[in-house]
Amino acid sequence: MNTAYPFSAVVGLDDLKLALLLNAVSPRVGGVLVRGEKGTAKSTIVRALAAQLPAVDAVPGCRFACDPAAPDPSCPDGPHEPGGPSERRPSALVELPVGASEDRLAGSLDVERALTEGVKAFEPGLLAAAHRGVLYVDEVNLLHDHLVDLLLDAAALGTCYVERESVSVRHAARFLLVGTMNPEEGELRPQLLDRFGLTVEVRASRDPRERAEVVRRRLAFEADPAAFAARWEDAEAELAERISAARERLAGVRLPDERLEQIAAVCAGFEVDGLRADLVTANAALAHAAWHGRGEVAGEDVRAAARLSLPHRRRRDPFDAPGLDESLLDELLDSTSPDAPPPDGGGGGGEPPSPPQDGGRRGPAASQDASPERNADSPHDAGPSRNTGPEQNAGSSPDAGPSQNAGPEQDAGPAQDERPGGGGGERVAAAAAPHAVPLLEVPGVGEGAAGRRSRSRTARGRVTGARRPAARVRDPHVVATLLAAAPQQRARGRSGAGLVLRPDDLREAVREGREGNLVLFVVDASGSMAARRRMTTVKTAVLSLLLDAYQRRDKVGLVTFRGRTAELALPPTSSVEAGAARLRALPTGGRTPLAAGLARAAEVLRAERLRDPARRPLLVVVTDGRATAEGDVDRAARLLAGAAGIVVDCEDGPVRLGLAGRLAARLGARLVPLGDLDGIVRAHRGRGGKAA
């Protein structure tokens, strides 16, 4: 039996511990999204939590863990009589692999029983197994869209509906949803992001002593897991007992109207969308009060809940990283506190402070300088914790208040004027807000990862035909199968009403949907691009295309060239936020090594073709076509033969040399003027899809 790393032995990560414990006390909080760099024990602590959750009473033999006190009336294993026999089961921890299939998640027809017993039976999936437990999704941002849709439905309704393969089933699916992700690999869809009640940003500690303690404990655990777990057995038992006591206490915790109005004022002050933030914050504040043994929600409970429930709901732009301006939070809490004195000049409570014009972010230092309210009953709440390492030291406690973990550096946003670069006459141009762009497609039909850009044969989508299966049939095409078998019935000696089928009659459906592509930007950052503030327009256009790539589930890469060399500024990734940050900081100046830029792009595409051969590339070259540095442009262009692409012509002025047009001809790509991106669609269709 595998021994999980003890929850109490984890060093630091106070925000994450608190978020998980609040969900353990009250599942209504809605789950936790853990964002952070790799190697910060995100998975370790989530798995450790499951061992601390109280066991549940379930109907004996029920595969859906029905509560015997209030069984699900639609349970496929029912009906169950309320108040019937029960059995104790440990809370389930179900892990959803990124590559899971839809039938594995939601369930499907039990093929074995259908073939051997001739009965139509339902085989439950992971959503059924996670009912009344924890559903853990590692790398949740890499989950396929169709699985995300299923999760959204189940999380919203608390019920899983299965309508497939002649099976029509519904069953309860209420679970604690915990996801971990590395933001460098891409962001979550906004709909799924909002389904997580709380979010926590974790970073590894930079304190050498804490890091040494992390390694010391991990080595001890790996050397003898059982002995290490035994050392923390008393702390684990105490933690489990405290969770159970807080759960029992929760129903009696009162949320006064003045605190509820304070929560509403804070959510309104941060301009969050919808009312889910208000509900989550209220439930989290109740759980926080129960965790600390209070019978009524206090101001510190509201503050702790808001710090965890609002950061991921503050995003106004896909390029924004989640974050919270804690100085604004303090202002809103102070101005709406029922204990606050009335403002000068008499009158009622006054208006809460307005959020700053930068979207509620006053710089990276703001969240680190603010000191959260502390619980006077706990010595561990005396000051902000700086422990952000993967394990916890012996003196730390999971009831510590939220730590001052700094989130990723915030983009300051585009400046209004160009600013000096790193020297040598370089300049860093501003960028305006991105705008909508027309659809750019790779011609033909691919078979890449699901997305929203180019045509593709996918497991989901409209049926366009049938084919012989290459492996196990998961999506049979009934009509095509019957048509294949019909001409052979006399030869097979058919005598009854049914058809005589053979394995080679089987046909599977061919479906067409949309795929995501690799969009590789090759951007000219030479001195000629800085003329007449041209680079501002270029950056705005590329940012707009990056936004489009985010919405269409693409991977993106960025190659820049200036001076004498080309640089891979952003290796292909799903994180368009990283691409936007690199682009905004891109300086211009120097000569134009066009050949080097094209050759570097060819290297990137060749490597990505080996890594992910199914993902088709779309090349976007942004240049005025000048080549003032050494290099054979024709030879470099031949290296990119066969890649679909466009050339965005950045040349302007009354006299034009048409160099970008010549480059487009060499690449076999489509030429589009920088100021006329709307012409892409018309140009693409006009040439019969030669290039996107």
Side-chain angles (χ1 to χ4, degrees):
M1 178 178 179
N2 293 330
T3 302
Y5 194 94
F7 189 91
S8 304
V10 177
V11 178
L13 299 180
D14 293 332
D15 271 7
L16 178 53
K17 290 176 185 175
L18 181 63
L20 291 171
L21 290 171
L22 292 182
N23 275 274
V25 172
S26 174
R28 291 184 178 180
V29 171
V32 184
L33 174 64
V34 188
R35 297 166 48 90
E37 57 195 18
K38 49 189 175 292
T40 49
K42 299 187 296 293
S43 302
T44 297
I45 194 170
V46 172
R47 294 188 176 102
L49 173 70
Q52 302 306 315
L53 297 179
V56 297
D57 292 321
V59 174
C62 179
R63 298 173 296 170
F64 302 85
C66 279
D67 185 351
D72 179 13
S74 60
C75 176
D77 285 355
H80 307 300
E81 289 294 329
S86 65
E87 63 180 8
R88 296 286 285 176
R89 298 183 188 178
S91 290
L93 172 64
V94 177
E95 298 192 31
L96 172 60
V98 171
S101 62
E102 184 176 342
D103 55 352
R104 183 72 186 98
L105 177 61
S108 64
L109 178 70
D110 189 333
V111 178
E112 182 177 353
R113 291 191 63 189
L115 294 178
T116 58
E117 304 176 25
V119 298
K120 185 170 65 175
F122 176 67
E123 183 178 3
L126 296 178
L127 291 177
H131 180 49
R132 305 177 70 194
V134 179
L135 180 62
Y136 171 49
V137 189
D138 195 12
E139 305 295 349
V140 64
N141 52 323
L142 304 182
L143 203 62
H144 289 295
D145 277 1
H146 66 286
L147 299 182
V148 170
D149 293 337
L150 286 173
L151 275 182
L152 286 174
D153 289 341
L157 303 174
T159 304
C160 176
Y161 292 88
V162 183
E163 301 285 348
R164 55 183 302 167
E165 298 164 346
S166 73
V167 173
S168 180
V169 170
R170 65 179 294 265
H171 63 81
R174 293 183 292 273
F175 46 81
L176 168 57
L177 180 61
V178 180
T180 60
M181 61 174 285
N182 183 350
E184 295 177 357
E185 297 172 340
E187 281 291 347
L188 277 176
R189 286 171 54 181
Q191 295 92 335
L192 182 57
L193 186 66
D194 191 51
R195 290 295 176 185
F196 286 97
L198 311 178
T199 186
V200 178
E201 192 86 32
V202 296
R203 303 178 70 182
S205 172
R206 299 300 184 257
D207 186 336
R209 289 176 296 180
E210 291 181 6
R211 296 173 75 96
E213 182 63 19
V214 169
V215 176
R216 186 179 299 115
R217 293 188 185 187
R218 189 67 202 186
L219 291 176
F221 174 75
E222 292 175 352
D224 191 343
F228 185 84
R231 287 169 46 194
W232 294 91
E233 188 173 351
D234 291 343
E236 293 289 273
E238 181 181 350
L239 180 62
E241 182 179 347
R242 186 175 176 184
I243 293 174
S244 297
R247 279 190 169 187
E248 295 177 1
R249 190 183 301 116
L250 179 64
V253 178
R254 193 173 73 90
L255 178 61
D257 284 345
E258 55 267 23
R259 294 298 177 192
L260 180 57
E261 292 175 1
Q262 188 179 27
I263 290 172
V266 168
C267 294
F270 276 104
E271 298 181 335
V272 297
D273 295 331
L275 293 174
R276 183 172 285 114
D278 304 62
L279 292 169
V280 170
T281 305
N283 282 315
L286 287 165
H288 193 268
W291 174 249
H292 286 286
R294 287 187 283 272
E296 182 176 293
V297 172
E300 58 194 289
D301 302 316
V302 174
R303 189 186 199 284
R307 287 191 66 249
L308 298 173
S309 64
L310 298 183
H312 60 304
R313 296 183 168 90
R314 288 289 304 119
R315 297 183 70 187
R316 287 291 180 268
D317 189 301
F319 302 143
D320 290 340
L324 192 70
D325 182 351
E326 295 204 24
S327 61
L328 175 61
L329 176 61
D330 287 335
E331 292 177 20
L332 290 166
L333 289 171
D334 291 344
S335 65
T336 57
S337 172
D339 303 324
D344 293 339
E351 292 294 327
S354 300
Q357 295 301 315
D358 61 355
R361 302 188 303 274
R362 304 187 180 187
S367 62
Q368 301 181 42
D369 295 336
S371 297
E373 298 179 34
R374 299 293 174 184
N375 177 18
D377 299 332
S378 173
H380 304 293
D381 289 337
S385 169
R386 292 180 295 111
N387 300 335
T388 52
E391 332 284 350
Q392 169 186 320
N393 59 37
S396 125
S397 170
D399 64 348
S403 65
Q404 299 299 309
N405 297 342
E409 293 185 4
Q410 304 281 348
D411 224 16
Q416 296 302 315
D417 300 305
E418 295 183 355
R419 58 188 186 275
E426 294 177 351
R427 306 289 292 179
V428 177
H435 52 74
V437 296
L439 172 62
L440 310 178
E441 290 182 291
V442 177
V445 181
E447 295 184 350
R452 297 183 177 180
R453 184 171 297 280
S454 305
R455 295 171 56 201
S456 174
R457 296 186 181 91
T458 63
R460 296 169 63 88
R462 63 187 182 90
V463 177
T464 59
R467 63 184 175 189
R468 291 180 182 271
R472 179 183 175 186
V473 179
R474 292 190 176 274
D475 189 9
H477 194 298
V478 177
V479 174
T481 299
L482 296 178
L483 290 175
Q488 312 298 327
Q489 296 306 297
R490 179 173 296 180
R492 295 174 183 174
R494 171 188 167 188
S495 58
L499 289 174
V500 179
L501 297 178
R502 302 283 172 81
D504 57 353
D505 296 332
L506 285 175
R507 299 292 185 271
E508 65 180 359
V510 176
R511 297 181 179 271
E512 184 174 304
R514 291 279 172 177
E515 67 177 359
N517 298 112
L518 167 61
V519 182
L520 181 63
F521 295 95
V522 184
V523 180
D524 184 349
S526 63
S528 65
M529 297 291 289
R532 302 186 185 90
R533 302 176 61 86
R534 186 187 304 165
M535 202 61 189
T536 296
T537 307
V538 169
K539 286 188 175 183
T540 302
V542 178
L543 279 174
S544 302
L545 292 169
L546 277 170
L547 176 61
D548 182 67
Y550 165 83
Q551 295 169 338
R552 299 190 186 282
R553 313 288 183 262
D554 293 318
K555 292 180 69 174
V556 296
L558 177 62
V559 172
T560 63
F561 57 94
R562 61 189 179 90
R564 295 186 179 277
T565 60
E567 175 190 3
L568 180 58
L570 180 71
T573 175
S574 296
S575 177
V576 297
E577 297 86 348
R582 303 286 173 85
L583 182 72
R584 282 173 170 146
L586 178 65
T588 56
R591 306 180 71 183
T592 311
L594 178 57
L598 298 178
R600 190 75 179 92
E603 293 175 9
V604 174
L605 293 184
R606 183 166 57 250
E608 285 301 305
R609 194 175 295 116
L610 295 174
R611 184 178 293 112
D612 188 358
R615 188 180 290 271
R616 298 186 295 162
L618 175 63
L619 185 69
V620 180
V621 183
V622 185
T623 182
D624 59 7
R626 297 174 184 269
T628 59
E630 296 178 358
D632 188 343
V633 176
D634 286 333
R635 180 178 178 278
R638 286 195 293 271
L639 297 176
L640 292 166
I646 65 170
V647 174
V648 180
D649 184 3
C650 299
E651 189 176 28
D652 59 4
V655 179
R656 304 195 180 196
L657 303 178
L659 299 177
R662 298 177 194 175
L663 176 62
R666 294 168 182 167
L667 294 173
R670 197 38 118 183
L671 179 68
V672 179
L674 178 61
D676 191 24
L677 283 178
D678 289 340
I680 293 177
V681 172
R682 294 191 296 272
H684 175 74
R685 293 173 178 169
R687 291 289 293 270
K690 169 67 176 176

